Amino acid sequence: MALQWLILAYVVAAEAVVALLLTLPSPKLVKSRIVSLTSLILQPAIGIVPFAAFQLLDIYWKNEHRLMCTSDVCTAAERDRYEKF
């Protein structure tokens, strides 16, 4: 799970850097080169979007179906309910 978060963090960091470079005042040639380089990188990396969506769904599923106990110690009924999911 840590590797998944690491990959998502790198993708977000790369997006932030590209957004920062495009919003800074710079010559038009530099911006067009950044845009063309970004599009060349993103075309093969388009598989990251389904991967990120899958990871978010996985996190949501695990959060919704986690073992919830009413006290410090889980009862047998609570464990059975958790195992049925």
Side-chain angles (χ1 to χ4, degrees), residues 7-77:
I7 291 170
L8 288 174
Y10 282 144
V11 169
V12 170
E15 288 176 356
V17 167
V18 169
L20 181 68
L21 288 174
L22 290 176
T23 56
L24 290 176
S26 60
K28 194 170 199 149
L29 180 65
V30 173
K31 285 187 179 186
S32 67
R33 297 273 179 161
I34 291 172
V35 169
S36 65
L37 177 66
T38 303
S39 67
L40 284 174
I41 291 171
L42 287 180
Q43 286 174 357
I46 198 68
I48 292 174
V49 173
F51 175 75
F54 172 75
Q55 294 305 314
L56 290 173
L57 286 173
D58 185 45
I59 292 167
Y60 172 76
W61 180 264
K62 287 178 182 175
N63 186 35
E64 287 295 318
H65 296 95
R66 70 180 187 269
L67 180 59
M68 292 187 185
C69 301
T70 54
S71 64
D72 290 337
V73 178
C74 293
T75 64

